[in-house]
Structures are given as C-alpha cells and as structure tokens.
Amino acid sequence: MSHSMDAILLVTGATGNVGVELCRALVRDYPRVRARLLVRAVNEDELRARWLQTVRAAQLGDARDDLPGCEPIRGDVSAPGLGLEAPALERLASDTTHIVHAACLTSFATPAERLVRTNVGGLENVLRFARRCRALRAVAHVSTCFTAGRRVGTIREDELEHDAGFVNAYERSKYDAERMARAAMADLPLSVYRLSLLVGRRDGFVHRPQAMHVFLENLYQGLFPLVPGDPEAPFDILPTDYAAEALLALVLRRFAPSQTYHIAAGEHAPTTLAWLATTAEVFRALSPAWRAGAHIQPDLVDLDTYRHLVDTVATVGNKTLARMLRVISDLAEYPLSSKHFDRSNVVAALGTDSTPPAFADYYPVVLEAAARGGWWRTSA
Ligand SMILES: NC(=O)c1ccc[n+]([C@@H]2O[C@H](COP(=O)([O-])OP(=O)(O)OC[C@H]3O[C@@H](n4cnc5c(N)ncnc54)[C@H](OP(=O)(O)O)[C@@H]3O)[C@@H](O)[C@H]2O)c1
C-alpha cells in the first residue's frame, strides 16, 4: 500500500467527466501523489482557463484556483509525443511512475475516423511514451464495459474478443483500443479498467452531459411514449465519483499488471424496469405535468416493436417523432441486450470497500439536482 504514496502520475482526459473526479479524489485522498494532467489547449492562456474550469468542477468546497500537487500541461494524445516539445516529454519520461489514460472521444455522433484517431491512435501514443518512462510502475488504460458490444449474458473481466458486433463506432474504437492494450501487457506493467455507464456525482453534479443525460432530459419532458428494453435486464449504472475512486484505489493501492477490471454495479445493478420506475417516481415528485398524468412512465417494448415504430416514423416523415427516436436510439440497444458485468477481479482486489453506492441513494439526487438547475439543456 505505502508505495502508492510517492507516485508521480500522468493523467490524460482530466477535463472530462471521469478526469474531474480523478482530480477531486487525488487531492482529497492521495496528498502525497504528484499529478500532471495533460490538457488540450492552443496556448498557455487557454491552458490556464481550461484548468481553472476543471478545478471549479472538482468543487472541493472552497473557491480555490489550483489543486495542490496537480500540474496541468498542454498536450494532445492524438499527436506524436503527446503533442509535447522534446524537453518536456523527456522530463515526463524521466520520473513518471504511473499513467492513467482516460482521454477519449466519447460522443456517439463523432465520425468513426476521428474516434479511431483519438481512441486507438491516442492509446498508441501513450504506450509509446510509457515505453520511454524509466521509473514506470503502472499504466491504467480506461475502457468501457461496453467493449462487449452486442454480447448478452454474463460478461467476465478476462474476456474480450467476440463477434457479436457493436452498437456504435465508439464501442468499436474502445474494443480495438483494448486489444492494443492487451497486446502491450507483454512488455508494459499495464491493466485495463472498464467503466460502466456513469450518470453523475453522488452530490448530483454532472460535468459534461452525455447520451444518457440527453435521454433523461427528453424523458422528463414527456417526449417518449415507449422505450426499448427488457424489464428484467440489469441496468448497469454508477456514480462518476465512485468509479474514479475505485479506479484510483486499484491503480495506486492495489496495482497488479495484466488484469482487467469491471468497475460496474454488477450484481448491485437495478433492473431496467426498476430504473425506469424510479426515474418516473422522481419525476412525479419534481413535476406537476408528471403528477397530473400528462407525462407517464413509458412502456418498455421489445426490439421488433421498436423497429416497427422507427419504420413507421420514417414512412410518415414526422419530424418531431424522428427527433425523439434519434435521442432514444443512442441508448436503445443498451437496456435491450441484457448483460451482467461480473466484477470478481474488483472484489478480489478491493474487498467490501468496492461495494458501489446504492442506486436508490444517489440516482434521485442526480435527477433532483438537474431539475433544480434547469436541467442540462441537452434537448434534441
Ligand atoms: N462517462 C461514461 O459514462 C463512461 C462509461 C464507460 C467508460 N468511460 C470511459 O472513461 C474515459 C473518460 O470518459 P469521460 O466520460 O470522462 O469522457 P469525456 O467527459 O468526454 O472526457 C474526455 C476527456 O478526454 C479528453 N480528450 C479527448 N481527446 C483528447 C486528445 N486528443 N488529447 C487529450 N485529451 C483528449 C477530453 O479533453 P477536452 O476537454 O479537451 O475535450 C476530456 O478531458 C473514457 O476512456 C471512456 O471510454 C466513460
């Protein structure tokens, strides 16, 4: 345990949802770790401004404009040498002991070639840098549980390769990156940390709304009469800060090379029906329209019924309905392809400390904070 305390850590993706929570947990729980955060910026002024936004989002309770032990550096994982000048790269390579690679393009709308350049090419650049690090002890590749694509059933941490296909090009790019990460285990102390769907911080804060948030905001507005989903399938979802904390504990306290971890709710996940019912219950408490029955909990339908609706909307050419389906379709196949993410490796490494927060405790808080703040304004 103690060796984690003198780590010099390079973090990519610090300005993102996961990155902000990594910064917050690092400052709070690992005061002796020095962290360098690779941040995209066109010049030093923009770097300072972007770092300040990240510090504010990390919200450590006071209006500080820096985080102790954290140094932002300007770079880009999709560029050779991480976009750093040779002397800066050399300085990093001389003393970096740990790397947490979380930088990624996560929007499902991003064209496939950009996803590949950043999500696969970015990892390649990080691995090239890691091979130059003379004090390296650990590389953490941050991935997603959804490299499992359209697989169904129990997904084990040690499994990766499959031919079930993928819901979108994002999943595909993360799968290809994981294959590259696994190959690098041959010559680097590297492990893979797959995160589940992250909905926001336990205190309700959402840094950057993503597909799930667009979906929830539109659901609140009563836009969806139905949602595709298997009522009994697990709806695997986690608070973002818990995921970041578990990741840091695995990397800085319990690192083991050549492992894969599911940082997921696993057996603690609600069913899809329970998730939807909780969502509707919170919405009823928040909204007169929901209370009055103007908006109601959508029905869960199977894929054939959903596809029939998609075809009908395409035939009649109704723009409002088409807009609604675009929002649903980003998430449509997740609750339909029933997966249970086995998390044995996480439990073996962290024990009961790894039990995720109860869904009923944090999820309503995120929705209530969104409603109080006027939602995320993500409407399609
Ligand atoms: N959020 C989830 O629900 C979820 C679920 C499963 C797995 N994950 C995984 O967790 C990791 C982080 O995701 P996230 O939700 O935090 O994503 P995010 O909010 O979209 O943030 C992505 C981060 O990557 C950075 N980035 C993108 N391209 C870059 C580049 N070329 N060079 C340097 N930095 C770059 C972004 O910087 P800018 O600020 O400059 O854009 C941002 O800091 C990813 O590996 C993702 O696959 C997330």
Side-chain angles (χ1 to χ4, degrees), residues 15 17-18 40 50 76-77 106 170 174 196 198 208:
T15 53
N17 281 302
V18 175
R40 285 197 288 188
R50 298 209 63 209
D76 182 334
V77 295
T106 54
Y170 163 74
K174 296 296 287 185
S196 181
L198 308 176
R208 277 190 192 170

Side-chain angles (χ1 to χ4, degrees), residues 359-378:
F359 170 74
D361 289 344
Y362 73 84
Y363 181 69
V365 178
V366 174
L367 297 183
E368 284 155 15
R372 267 201 312 278
W375 289 89
W376 303 288
R377 301 195 178 80
T378 58

Side-chain angles (χ1 to χ4, degrees), residues 99-377:
I99 299 171
V100 173
H101 174 49
C104 182
L105 292 180
T106 54
S107 166
F108 299 163
T110 307
E113 59 280 9
R114 282 194 61 211
L115 288 169
V116 171
R117 196 177 332 125
T118 300
N119 298 357
V120 185
L123 173 65
E124 195 172 12
N125 291 329
V126 168
L127 296 176
R128 206 168 282 142
F129 165 72
R131 292 190 175 100
R132 293 181 53 177
C133 291
R134 297 187 285 284
L136 191 69
R137 300 208 295 260
V139 182
H141 171 63
V142 182
S143 188
T144 166
C145 293
F146 296 96
T147 51
R150 290 199 167 100
R151 283 188 60 192
V152 293
T154 298
I155 315 292
R156 300 196 187 286
E157 290 155 302
D158 298 334
E159 300 167 343
L160 171 62
E161 309 229 346
H162 65 82
D163 54 12
F166 299 95
V167 174
N168 52 45
Y170 163 74
E171 285 185 355
R172 170 87 223 192
S173 71
K174 296 296 287 185
Y175 175 85
D176 289 341
E178 248 197 63
R179 290 185 59 188
M180 184 185 284
R182 285 203 170 197
M185 288 172 180
D187 68 319
L188 284 171
L190 182 146
S191 286
V192 171
Y193 303 82
R194 292 183 189 146
L195 311 183
S196 181
L197 187 60
L198 308 176
V199 73
R201 199 152 72 199
R202 270 167 284 191
D203 66 8
F205 176 72
V206 172
H207 178 48
R208 277 190 192 170
Q210 291 171 318
M212 174 72 175
H213 304 95
V214 179
F215 175 87
L216 287 170
E217 185 163 354
N218 284 275
L219 182 63
Y220 183 73
Q221 289 164 356
L223 223 60
F224 307 149
L226 54 80
V227 175
D230 170 358
E232 293 313 314
F235 194 85
D236 203 294
I237 183 172
L238 282 180
T240 316
D241 50 345
Y242 163 81
E245 287 161 20
L247 171 60
L248 285 180
L250 288 165
V251 177
L252 293 173
R253 299 203 157 117
R254 295 273 184 261
F255 182 75
S258 305
Q259 302 295 310
T260 300
Y261 299 94
H262 276 158
I263 300 180
E267 65 281 20
H268 305 282
T271 63
T272 298
L273 184 59
W275 157 70
L276 195 59
T278 303
T279 306
E281 190 184 316
V282 177
F283 285 179
R284 278 193 291 274
L286 291 169
S287 150
W290 276 79
R291 268 198 300 285
H295 303 328
I296 53 165
Q297 180 178 327
D299 285 334
L300 285 169
V301 298
D302 61 22
L303 193 55
D304 284 347
T305 310
Y306 176 68
R307 287 200 174 130
H308 182 69
L309 176 72
V310 172
D311 290 347
T312 309
V313 168
T315 310
V316 298
N318 181 305
K319 286 206 176 94
T320 307
L321 285 174
R323 189 170 64 103
M324 169 197 99
L325 287 181
R326 260 202 316 279
V327 175
I328 302 183
S329 67
D330 269 347
L331 286 181
E333 294 199 36
Y334 287 99
L336 272 171
S337 50
S338 176
K339 293 182 186 55
H340 163 68
F341 297 112
D342 180 79
R343 48 193 288 282
S344 303
N345 290 349
V346 172
V347 175
L350 298 180
T352 50
D353 286 356
S354 72
T355 303
F359 170 74
D361 289 344
Y362 73 84
Y363 181 69
V365 178
V366 174
L367 297 183
E368 284 155 15
R372 267 201 312 278
W375 289 89
W376 303 288
R377 301 195 178 80

